[in-house]
């Protein structure tokens, strides 16, 4: 019975719309797709003046949506675009950067009406992909270029840092800029800046490092010349966050103060790459932090070091350790950060005094910054496999942050 | 120390921007906020020609963002707007309906690149709130009007139905229309239609019923005349889904086939009303359905009947029961639905034959529609309290759904 129900024979009627708001409309008058699922082969026919012309033959049909239909509905540009009216995106930075205006939606904020860190990370991912979209380089994959697709390469993030000074609130109009640059010989750096659209005040900055992985062998790859030729013209040297000597994030073990075990990905946690989305990692990391701390503090800086992808069948453990204050003092970076961002630090009411005493932190109330070290790993029979190490810095929530003088 | 750190004394400088893209900019030249947290009283002063005028006195300051700052950053209109360029929203239906154009974002789709039902529900909530936003009626609350705020009333949803014929895909441009109407004497109906922007093809329809609740007594309320005067002019009779004799959703008990227990809301599950968001309910309902069924089927119709709000400390149990085929045949509605929507139904490979045999369903492969009954309740010491009853209808996933003839 499977053969018949999978047999495809359909017509798609596409009227050509000359409306200026639809600049990327494909110039197809009428297409007809003929094929069978079993033959793995679909013809795209253009029906013009009552004649059929074979335009292309596709090697595969997606389980749910056919390749041609998907292309038609997604409308991915094949040439560089300067403006995207639907996404409210424009090209900036002399033609190589991307800016998108977005309104903070009702489901992107928490009970306090400020954007959640997960929503900010989602918007960073979205604008990065829309940047590639505008470039005309986007293939069918999750941000991969045509050259990458040809070489079976996918992007893998190896490091990410996000600094949030002020959280946007429900209904606020924000602008997100993003651009890319070189990172060593075989990496790419992607940066973002998130601002108030009304005042230009910078709300957040982020930087990330990406490398290429062979989708089949799962091994890291050099950037092929073909791909370098695609992406290198987009590289600029601008940095959203200045380079600092990266502090080593030490590896936690099962003695960590907070441990959440048996975390299992749900269907809805998987992204288009069929892996647990990075944003979910952050959710798992932050869940271990006690509610009473979260209520009084807001995340101001987060560094993530990715080690391994998490698949849908992995069972994850999330470890979290409040950082010793002595440790913070020793690292010049933290002290520097503290001075620059005017952290207010730990409030006596906001954290269990028992924990503080155990960690030798009782004496450092209101000094801060306060930080946590994080680890997500997959518990294995022989050894545990690290997914991501993280460090988070926090400041006390205050009234009216962005407009305080 | 609390008193001093909470003492507010700040100035906000608002330049008047005559740019046409900012039609709702408040006409304040300079405001000064004076007050203390403990006094619960903040004065808003307008500083014009070097004179201070008291514009308003606010009764409260939010823990994180002050009321005035929030108003300034959210920029909620106080008069009806016909167009919202940032949200890409316009007024339709002779001035009483709302249409918003949105692009499906990368994190709103699942591994198969089609929008998740949770994302669709989020977009329905978002457009409903933006409709109220455009109306000039929105107060500070979660969709509440000024009159509702004055009477301590909030909106509570009592019923929701969503029908999805085709799921939008990543990058697709869609239009969502929404409008309201009367529902009985003291209810409001809100409907939606979701379409392809390019072709006009209807992807989904939804309808919902809302009543008012006193925020303090938690009892349902009649619509006060003051509030009726605000909202009644927006009511129209158009319906996205035609009224049908509602089939009773029977109450499941602990003998249900699938049971997920100990579901606990996370911080990120709470919305601006400080309750578990409705969309989370749907996630809990659908998690109980086996993966092998979900992979081959898509949700085509969902009815939710809300009984009670779920708070942050509740521990929830999710029950789910595949519906007897005999039961389906008996209900004319289902049969009618089946005929109208051309359901393909259950595939032999996609569901445990053991379960099917137990449920007497082995004989009805490929007949469909296939449905589940759902219940979320809070396990109490004396009795269980129902949160929501639900029914879901499913069809087999097929290739190229929207363009099939």
């Amino acid at each position: 019975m499977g053969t018949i129900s999978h047999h495809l024979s359909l017509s798609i009627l596409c009227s050509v719309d000359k409306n200026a708001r639809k600049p990327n409309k494909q110039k197809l008058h009428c297409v007809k797709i003929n094929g069978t699922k079993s033959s793995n082969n679909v013809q795209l026919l253009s029906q013009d003046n009552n004649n059929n012309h074979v335009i292309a033959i596709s090697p595969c049909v997606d389980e749910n949506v056919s390749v041609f239909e998907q292309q038609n509905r997604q409308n991915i540009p094949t040439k560089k675009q300067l403006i995207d009216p639907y996404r409210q995106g424009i090209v900036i930075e002399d033609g190589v950067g991307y800016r998108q205006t977005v309104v903070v939606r009702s489901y992107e904020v928490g009970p306090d009406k400020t954007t959640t860190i997960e929503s900010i990370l989602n918007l960073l991912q979205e604008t990065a992909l829309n940047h590639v979209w505008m470039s005309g380089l986007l293939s069918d994959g999750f941000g991969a270029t045509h050259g990458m697709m040809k070489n079976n390469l996918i992007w893998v993030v190896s490091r990410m840092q996000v600094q949030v000074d002020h959280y946007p609130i429900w209904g606020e109009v924000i602008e997100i800029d993003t651009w890319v640059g070189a990172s060593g010989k075989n990496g790419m750096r992607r940066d973002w800046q998130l601002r108030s659209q009304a005042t230009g005040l910078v709300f957040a900055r982020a930087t990330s490092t990406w490398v290429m992985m062979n989708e089949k062998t799962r091994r890291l790859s050099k950037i092929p010349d073909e791909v370098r030729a695609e992406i290198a013209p987009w590289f600029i040297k601008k940095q959203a966050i200045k380079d600092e000597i990266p502090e080593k994030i030490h590896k936690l073990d099962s003695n960590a103060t907070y441990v959440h075990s048996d975390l299992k990905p749900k269907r809805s946690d998987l992204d288009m790459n069929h892996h647990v989305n990075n944003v979910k990692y952050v959710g798992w990391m932050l869940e271990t932090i006690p509610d009473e701390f979260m209520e009084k503090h807001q995340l101001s800086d987060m560094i993530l070091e990715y080690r391994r992808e998490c698949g849908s069948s992995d069972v994850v453990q999330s470890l979290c350790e409040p950082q010793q204050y002595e440790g913070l003092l020793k690292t010049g970076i933290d002290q520097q950060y503290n001075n620059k961002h005017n952290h207010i630090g730990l409030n006596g009411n906001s954290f269990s005094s028992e924990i503080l005493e155990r960690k030798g932190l009782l004496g450092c109330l209101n000094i801060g910054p306060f930080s946590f070290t994080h680890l997500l790993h997959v518990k294995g029979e022989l050894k545990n496999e690290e997914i991501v190490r993280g460090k988070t810095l926090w400041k006390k929530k205050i009234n009216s942050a962005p407009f305080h003088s």
Side-chain angles (χ1 to χ4, degrees), chain A:
Chain A
M1 85 129 248
T3 320
I4 291 170
S5 74
H6 281 119
H7 200 99
L8 276 176
S9 178
L10 67 151
S11 292
I12 308 174
L13 196 67
C14 311
S15 63
V16 177
D17 193 326
K18 296 200 173 70
N19 189 326
R21 288 181 69 211
K22 300 174 187 173
N24 308 327
K25 197 78 193 174
Q26 288 173 0
K27 285 175 187 167
L28 290 175
H29 289 264
C30 180
V31 294
K32 196 168 183 178
I33 297 177
N34 292 312
T36 60
K37 172 82 182 171
S38 57
S39 75
N40 253 1
N41 193 326
V42 176
Q43 284 186 318
L44 177 63
L45 304 171
S46 163
Q47 196 179 51
D48 199 2
N49 299 324
N50 294 322
N51 291 313
N52 283 341
H53 307 282
V54 177
I55 296 173
I57 298 175
S58 159
C60 78
V61 174
D62 191 284
E63 189 60 34
N64 196 34
V65 181
S66 81
V67 170
F68 292 121
E69 183 201 317
Q70 189 177 300
Q71 284 173 356
N72 194 274
R73 291 168 63 186
Q74 286 191 304
N75 223 352
I76 298 176
T78 50
K79 284 184 198 165
K80 179 176 167 181
Q81 306 293 317
L82 298 179
I83 188 163
D84 184 334
Y86 293 121
R87 288 170 189 76
Q88 309 207 60
I90 55 166
V91 159
I92 55 166
E93 304 286 355
D94 293 326
V96 296
Y98 177 71
R99 173 176 300 161
Q100 187 169 339
T101 305
V102 296
V103 182
V104 175
R105 294 178 179 172
S106 56
Y107 55 88
E108 295 175 330
V109 301
D112 64 354
K113 291 186 187 170
T114 64
T115 318
T116 61
I117 186 71
E118 286 90 344
S119 296
I120 290 178
L121 292 169
N122 279 334
L123 289 172
L124 300 186
Q125 172 187 302
E126 176 67 12
T127 47
L129 285 165
N130 291 346
H131 184 204
V132 188
W133 182 288
M134 292 277 279
S135 73
L137 293 174
L138 188 65
S139 69
D140 188 43
F142 201 27
T145 65
H146 300 291
M148 288 172 68
M149 188 93 165
K150 208 166 139 190
N151 288 278
N152 291 315
L153 296 175
I154 56 170
W155 285 116
V156 181
V157 62
S158 62
R159 185 178 182 276
M160 178 122 189
Q161 179 172 13
V162 185
Q163 292 178 346
V164 186
D165 293 347
H166 312 295
Y167 283 83
I169 62 175
W170 175 41
E172 192 158 20
V173 184
I174 56 176
E175 280 179 356
I176 304 173
D177 289 1
T178 184
W179 61 91
V180 291
S183 173
K185 271 192 180 171
N186 278 297
M188 186 178 80
R189 176 184 173 122
R190 176 175 284 284
D191 286 18
W192 294 266
Q193 193 194 64
L194 194 156
R195 290 182 308 276
S196 157
Q197 193 271 346
T199 66
L201 185 77
V202 176
F203 285 169
R205 288 160 235 93
T207 185
S208 59
T209 312
W210 299 78
V211 288
M212 289 185 193
M213 180 187 267
N214 186 299
E215 198 181 3
K216 290 176 182 166
T217 65
R218 308 314 279 181
R219 293 182 63 178
L220 296 187
S221 162
K222 287 187 179 178
I223 302 180
D225 289 341
E226 181 183 7
V227 177
R228 188 175 296 280
E230 289 179 319
I231 62 175
W234 296 81
F235 287 177
I236 52 175
K237 290 210 169 147
K238 187 179 175 180
Q239 299 188 340
I241 298 173
K242 289 288 158 234
D243 276 332
E244 287 167 347
I245 306 144
E247 185 202 1
K248 194 176 180 320
I249 302 177
H250 69 267
K251 185 179 173 181
L252 298 180
D253 58 30
S254 53
N255 295 319
T257 305
Y258 304 111
V259 179
H260 275 209
S261 295
D262 295 323
L263 301 168
K264 286 167 198 158
K266 289 180 291 195
R267 273 185 301 271
S268 56
D269 299 329
L270 302 185
D271 65 22
M272 287 184 267
N273 273 346
H274 294 257
H275 278 100
V276 177
N277 189 274
N278 297 335
V279 178
K280 183 67 193 177
Y281 293 167
V282 174
W284 279 337
M285 273 172 41
L286 301 189
E287 266 175 49
T288 56
I289 298 178
D291 279 341
E292 57 264 46
F293 181 86
M294 294 287 277
E295 277 160 22
K296 299 270 169 105
H297 296 80
Q298 66 188 37
L299 181 63
S300 58
D301 200 338
M302 175 168 64
I303 299 172
L304 302 168
E305 290 176 3
Y306 298 94
R307 307 289 170 118
R308 172 190 179 279
E309 291 175 295
C310 177
S312 58
S313 59
D314 287 331
V315 179
V316 176
Q317 193 175 52
S318 177
L319 310 172
C320 171
E321 186 68 35
Q323 186 120 351
Q324 301 267 352
Y325 182 62
E326 290 76 12
L328 289 182
L329 266 188
K330 274 181 215 148
T331 66
I333 290 163
D334 286 315
Q335 197 53 48
Q336 181 190 331
Y337 183 91
N338 188 15
N339 297 337
K340 198 168 68 187
H341 291 268
N342 193 25
H343 273 250
I344 293 179
L346 192 65
N347 179 296
N349 300 320
S350 64
F351 208 67
S352 147
S353 56
E354 183 229 343
I355 294 282
L356 290 174
E357 194 164 16
R358 183 143 58 92
K359 298 288 156 190
L361 285 163
L362 257 185
C364 66
L365 306 182
N366 290 306
I367 301 175
F370 203 68
S371 82
F372 292 90
T373 303
H374 304 266
L375 175 69
L376 294 184
H377 63 189
V378 178
K379 298 277 282 180
E381 282 192 21
L382 292 171
K383 59 168 192 160
N384 301 332
E385 291 198 73
E386 287 185 70
I387 297 172
V388 58
R389 290 188 193 183
K391 189 176 172 191
T392 53
L393 294 181
W394 301 77
K395 62 181 177 183
K396 198 170 176 304
K397 281 186 184 175
I398 45 173
N399 281 337
S400 320
F403 293 99
H404 264 171
S405 53

